[in-house]
Amino acid sequence: MAQDLTEIRQQITQIDRSLLKLLSERHRLAFDVVRSKEITQKPLRDEEREQILLQELVNFAESQNYQLEPQYITQIFQRIIEDSVVTQQVYLQKKLNQQREQNIHIAFLGKRGSYSHLAARNYATRYQEQLVELSCSSFEQIFDKVKSGEADFGVLPLENTTSGSINDVYDLLQHTDLSLVGELAYPIKHCVLVNEQQDLSQIDTLYSHPQVIQQCSQFIRSLDRVHIEYCESSSHAMELVASLNKPNIAALGNEDGGHLYGLRVLKTDITNQPNNITRFIVLAKEPLSVSPQIASKTLLLMTTRQQAGALVDALYVFKKHQINMTKLESRPIYGTPWEEMFYLEIEANIHHPNTQQVLQELKEYSTFLKVLGCYPSEIVKPTKA
């Protein structure tokens, strides 16, 4: 006789709760690990140890005949390792920078429910339990709120895996005295949001931010005679669609934000690229001290002489000192036609002697060099099994 479905679901719920208890216990052990490493000054990550751990888990599952695919085991424990690494980084950073235990003010683009809002909340909860949300209508306003002291931090999107770099943010970084103090990657899952359950063929107008429209261009082309209305943010689009309450309109945005405005999901997974991720940066008035035990990044702004091979000579400095460059972005210099400045992101701590030597050598090949910030690399690369 087949087991009752209700009983099966009760068993699943009980197992899930047991898993949560074990995950919580493992999470707490990360603090014991980091306190030990704080004394020994060992780096937080030991990728060789992580690889051994993953292989041992796969082998153990096979020996116990657990019937779990190695890839499934690896993916789960890669995420667990990532949580442990980030937890340890946050612990060290809070001690090093004497993080104050009070509400922090964070500025972000759009209203509640925007991707920037969700990313800001995600970042804040790593360091604080409470935050004061400051919604902004433009990137410029975020910079202004941080500069004036109204906001402790500003969270801005810098690049997306589908639509690429966000040039408006790069251009604002040219002229700011603010410092980059953090980063985070946030998964972007767009969906069609409507007031009432209806057929997709009824929709003739879509509201959203230009970046969202670009990231969902293939889906939009599959629709017949749809008009696009651009909004300052996806959250603004959701709010507008909710207030208009018409059966022929929809907003493109995230499901969590849609719920805040009482909207329903009509269709999910509409992005051009399945792994659609936006990388956000965090700005503050003062630079951050980054523990030497933590994997860190530094963003530089540089211009080179207008001569053959100047950029190549500059980049060779990083190869010479075995520093990995994760980003090279060029932007025009306003008022100087046909000349460009370069943003270079490197995996290095600005306070390390090797990095200081690199900066000294770069000055020989550049006409302008500025450090925009050094920050923990909180986008943890998965351990290779």
Side-chain angles (χ1 to χ4, degrees):
M1 180 180 294
Q3 193 174 0
D4 180 69
L5 181 59
T6 301
E7 184 180 342
I8 296 173
R9 286 173 173 170
Q10 289 174 346
Q11 292 177 22
I12 290 174
T13 298
Q14 189 59 46
I15 292 173
D16 288 345
R17 290 174 177 174
S18 298
L19 288 173
L20 286 174
K21 182 175 183 295
L22 291 171
L23 288 172
S24 176
E25 291 174 2
R26 197 189 193 287
H27 177 81
R28 284 197 296 270
L29 285 173
F31 292 99
D32 295 330
V33 171
V34 72
R35 291 186 188 103
S36 173
K37 290 181 178 178
E38 192 178 14
I39 296 171
T40 61
Q41 288 296 297
K42 289 183 177 179
L44 290 193
R45 292 202 73 176
D46 183 345
E47 295 194 35
E48 183 177 350
R49 153 69 181 160
E50 292 172 8
Q51 290 174 352
I52 293 172
L53 169 65
L54 291 176
Q55 190 58 54
E56 286 180 345
L57 290 167
V58 170
N59 294 341
F60 179 77
E62 290 178 351
S63 69
Q64 300 298 310
N65 195 28
Y66 285 160
Q67 297 183 353
L68 296 172
E69 290 290 333
Q71 184 180 8
Y72 176 70
I73 297 171
T74 299
Q75 288 177 340
I76 289 175
F77 280 90
Q78 282 174 337
R79 183 64 186 88
I80 291 173
I81 290 171
E82 177 186 344
D83 171 77
S84 179
V85 171
V86 172
T87 298
Q88 294 176 56
Q89 286 187 176
V90 169
Y91 173 87
L92 289 179
Q93 285 301 108
K94 288 181 71 173
K95 290 195 69 174
L96 182 61
N97 292 278
Q98 298 180 340
Q99 187 77 34
R100 58 185 185 277
E101 297 296 333
Q102 64 182 51
N103 292 352
I104 57 174
H105 296 67
I106 295 189
F108 54 87
L109 182 68
K111 301 176 182 294
R112 293 180 66 244
S114 69
Y115 287 108
S116 291
H117 168 242
L118 298 176
R121 187 173 60 181
N122 183 291
Y123 179 80
T125 53
R126 294 181 182 180
Y127 295 90
Q128 302 283 347
E129 294 184 357
Q130 301 294 327
L131 71 149
V132 178
E133 302 168 354
L134 302 175
S135 63
C136 299
S137 59
S138 67
F139 295 137
E140 292 90 340
Q141 191 177 15
I142 297 175
F143 277 79
D144 291 342
K145 285 186 180 296
V146 177
K147 186 176 181 179
S148 68
E150 185 178 350
D152 298 302
F153 300 105
V155 174
L156 300 107
L158 190 67
E159 58 184 324
N160 176 268
T161 54
T162 300
S163 54
S165 299
I166 301 173
N167 292 330
D168 289 347
V169 175
Y170 274 110
D171 291 341
L172 287 167
L173 287 173
Q174 290 185 23
H175 310 290
T176 187
D177 293 325
L178 302 178
S179 295
L180 271 72
V181 296
E183 66 166 4
L184 71 156
Y186 196 86
I188 306 299
K189 299 180 179 180
H190 299 314
C191 56
V192 181
L193 300 162
V194 295
N195 281 286
E196 299 294 338
Q197 195 65 39
Q198 58 214 54
D199 192 84
L200 192 61
S201 61
Q202 293 177 262
I203 305 299
D204 61 21
T205 304
L206 295 175
Y207 292 81
S208 201
H209 186 269
Q211 286 284 336
V212 178
I213 298 297
Q214 184 178 354
Q215 293 165 18
C216 303
S217 59
Q218 294 176 12
F219 164 75
I220 294 172
R221 282 197 296 268
S222 71
L223 304 177
D224 293 330
R225 298 183 301 276
V226 171
H227 177 68
I228 303 298
E229 289 286 348
Y230 293 104
C231 301
E232 64 187 32
S233 68
S234 58
S235 55
H236 180 259
M238 291 184 282
E239 182 183 51
L240 188 60
V241 167
S243 63
L244 291 174
N245 194 21
K246 295 180 180 180
N248 64 316
I249 65 174
L252 302 186
N254 66 87
E255 184 174 357
D256 291 338
H259 289 325
L260 292 176
Y261 295 99
L263 298 178
R264 299 184 181 185
V265 176
L266 184 59
K267 184 174 178 58
T268 59
D269 300 324
I270 62 171
T271 51
N272 299 345
Q273 184 172 308
N275 294 320
N276 188 26
I277 301 170
T278 292
R279 180 184 172 219
F280 290 84
I281 56 171
V282 184
L283 294 176
K285 287 187 72 172
E286 300 297 332
L288 189 72
S289 295
V290 182
S291 168
Q293 295 175 262
I294 292 176
S296 56
K297 294 179 180 177
T298 296
L299 185 64
L300 306 173
L301 180 59
M302 180 182 72
T303 58
T304 60
R305 298 180 180 88
Q306 293 297 300
Q307 61 187 45
L311 178 60
V312 174
D313 290 339
L315 298 182
Y316 182 77
V317 174
F318 298 113
K319 180 180 180 180
K320 174 184 173 183
H321 290 271
Q322 298 184 322
I323 290 180
N324 186 40
M325 184 175 63
T326 57
K327 185 74 175 177
L328 174 61
E329 188 78 23
S330 64
R331 293 297 299 152
I333 301 175
Y334 294 134
T336 311
W338 318 120
E339 291 191 24
E340 294 183 326
M341 59 178 55
F342 301 96
Y343 293 87
L344 302 98
E345 185 180 62
I346 57 175
E347 292 182 331
N349 190 318
I350 195 65
H351 302 294
H352 193 280
N354 189 42
T355 312
Q356 288 294 317
Q357 180 62 35
V358 166
L359 294 180
Q360 287 299 319
E361 293 184 25
L362 278 178
K363 291 178 181 178
E364 300 177 17
Y365 304 103
S366 61
T367 55
F368 173 79
L369 182 64
K370 179 182 179 181
V371 177
L372 293 173
C374 179
Y375 40 94
S377 178
E378 295 193 17
I379 300 175
V380 180
K381 295 179 182 178
T383 305
K384 295 182 180 179

